[in-house]
Amino acid sequence: MKPTISDVAKKAGVSIATVSRILNGLPGYTEKTRKAVLNVIGEIGYKPNAIARGLVKKHTYTMGVLLPNISSRLASALLKGIEDAAHRLGYSVIICNTDNDGKRTVEYLNVLAEKQIDGIIIASEWLKDAYGEALSAMKIPVVLVLTVSYRFQIPYIKIDDKQAAYQATKYLIEKGHKEIGMIGGSAKDMISGLPRIEGYKQALADYNLTITEDRIASGNFAYKSGIRCMEELFQKVPEITAVFAASDEMALGALSFAYKKGIKVPDDLSIIGYDDTQDAEMTIPPLTTVHQPVYEMGEKSVEMLFGAKKAAESIIIPHYIVERDSVKKIN
């Protein structure tokens, strides 16, 4: 049988109430008694009941994470950062896969409210009015990651997507490329789609290069859409010498299409990605890409959620380009 709080009290020679006060950080005992109780707990392997502790401290030591796709490399790195930081602070994590259109988001928010969780992180999802209103009613800390809300004043942590896309396009231009296509998200996607398209267009405009809509193929940031988008560009604008892909997964799709068509990367076509996931290092050739410190953003989001008494401040995290072998300099 598992040791109980009664076993601890009996072995330490104190009351159950004293053990409970010590476990929950309440006053009413000497330092000598506290040390004796903790020694007994370690000796017999007693584990306090988290629910009971929650009733005393009005905390459940659980937090929720909502994101639309938990299977991507980006999501894996983010969740690892969140879980590592949560574990250090003594919290358990409930992960909610809201799906790409967010149709499960309100349902999950209701479930998390019933479980009386202590905080929520929402990642890579546009905060619709219904979500914001549900979160406001819960009256718990909330942090956004890889997204932002203009209507609801919720702290966020992300990179500047427009600037990052600008710099990725500028990198290709400085390597001598003038015929540059883009594989991006939808212009209706206010989180990552539109800002990255705007960054791409702004770089071309600043360097007096032609901007045409047929050089932009829209996908959903996933591998298969990268294949489809690269095929679309190949058919419409075969003269392009470089492609900016707004995610590493789509860049992988472009690489796959190029391989099947006998297009050599980077000799015939240069490709730059976005995210710097582990896959970027494993491709052939290794992918030049924009680095997002996603793991660190996951860690930081938990610290923003629980690390301070005052309201957390939003953070724009620096990004940079990781040079590998998928971009060629041309004359």
Side-chain angles (χ1 to χ4, degrees):
M1 293 179 61
K2 292 182 178 180
T4 66
I5 192 170
S6 297
D7 297 329
V8 175
K10 184 177 181 180
K11 191 170 180 64
V14 298
S15 68
I16 292 175
T18 297
V19 175
S20 178
R21 287 198 297 271
I22 291 171
L23 289 173
N24 291 289
L26 301 175
Y29 47 84
T30 66
E31 179 62 18
K32 181 179 179 181
T33 299
R34 188 185 74 85
K35 289 182 178 179
V37 169
L38 293 179
N39 285 338
V40 171
I41 289 172
E43 181 183 333
I44 69 175
Y46 170 66
K47 294 185 181 299
N49 185 295
I51 296 175
R53 290 178 65 198
L55 291 174
V56 175
K57 289 192 171 184
K58 298 183 180 180
H59 288 294
T60 59
Y61 297 94
T62 57
M63 56 174 288
V65 179
L66 285 77
L67 72 172
N69 179 11
I70 64 173
S71 63
S72 70
R73 287 280 194 186
L74 183 75
S76 296
L78 179 67
L79 288 173
K80 180 165 175 49
I82 289 172
E83 290 197 314
D84 286 352
H87 179 74
R88 288 195 297 268
L89 294 176
Y91 285 84
S92 298
V93 181
I94 300 173
I95 299 170
C96 305
N97 184 5
T98 59
D99 212 347
N100 287 324
D101 60 359
K103 60 186 178 183
R104 304 175 189 163
T105 301
V106 172
E107 178 183 340
Y108 274 127
L109 288 174
N110 291 334
V111 169
L112 294 175
E114 290 175 1
K115 292 185 177 295
Q116 298 183 334
I117 61 170
D118 297 329
I120 291 178
I121 292 173
I122 297 182
S124 299
E125 187 167 352
W126 184 252
L127 208 66
K128 296 179 181 178
D129 290 352
Y131 309 164
E133 291 164 3
L135 290 167
S136 298
M138 292 169 73
K139 296 181 179 179
I140 58 174
V142 181
V143 171
L144 306 179
V145 184
L146 300 170
T147 185
V148 64
S149 173
Y150 299 112
R151 176 177 176 182
F152 300 96
Q153 297 300 305
I154 299 175
Y156 61 83
I157 179 168
K158 66 189 295 293
I159 71 171
D160 187 329
D161 286 279
K162 181 176 179 179
Q163 185 185 52
Y166 182 100
Q167 291 182 349
T169 309
K170 177 185 174 184
Y171 177 85
L172 294 173
I173 294 169
E174 290 178 343
K175 291 294 182 179
H177 296 275
K178 296 182 179 180
E179 309 294 337
I180 303 170
M182 178 180 179
I183 296 173
S186 168
K188 296 179 181 179
D189 173 6
M190 304 299 290
I191 302 172
S192 304
L194 182 60
R196 296 178 195 181
I197 292 171
E198 289 178 338
Y200 160 80
K201 288 182 174 180
Q202 189 64 55
L204 294 180
D206 287 353
Y207 283 85
N208 299 313
L209 296 177
T210 303
I211 303 171
T212 57
E213 292 301 324
D214 61 353
R215 296 192 178 201
I216 303 173
S218 297
N220 62 2
F221 299 104
Y223 170 77
K224 288 185 178 179
S225 74
I227 296 175
R228 177 183 57 77
C229 289
M230 190 65 239
E231 182 176 14
E232 180 182 331
L233 290 180
F234 182 72
Q235 292 175 352
K236 290 182 177 180
V237 281
E239 67 272 17
I240 60 173
T241 63
V243 170
F244 162 48
S247 76
D248 284 351
E249 287 199 30
M250 288 201 292
L252 265 63
L255 283 168
S256 178
F257 175 83
Y259 172 75
K260 290 177 182 177
K261 289 293 182 179
I263 302 169
K264 294 182 179 180
V265 178
D267 293 342
D268 302 326
L269 179 70
S270 291
I271 299 175
I272 185 170
Y274 193 112
D275 289 329
D276 195 24
T277 59
Q278 187 178 10
D279 287 332
E281 301 178 71
M282 299 163 60
T283 61
I284 300 176
L287 184 67
T288 294
T289 186
V290 175
H291 177 78
Q292 286 199 94
V294 179
Y295 175 86
E296 292 80 1
M297 292 164 79
E299 286 187 306
K300 190 67 178 176
S301 65
V302 177
E303 294 170 7
M304 290 170 66
L305 206 60
F306 301 124
K309 296 292 184 183
K310 64 179 182 179
E313 295 182 357
S314 298
I315 301 173
I316 297 293
I317 295 288
H319 60 272
Y320 55 88
I321 291 175
V322 178
E323 293 188 273
R324 296 194 179 98
D325 302 326
S326 63
V327 175
K328 176 184 178 181
K329 185 172 184 177
I330 62 175
N331 295 325

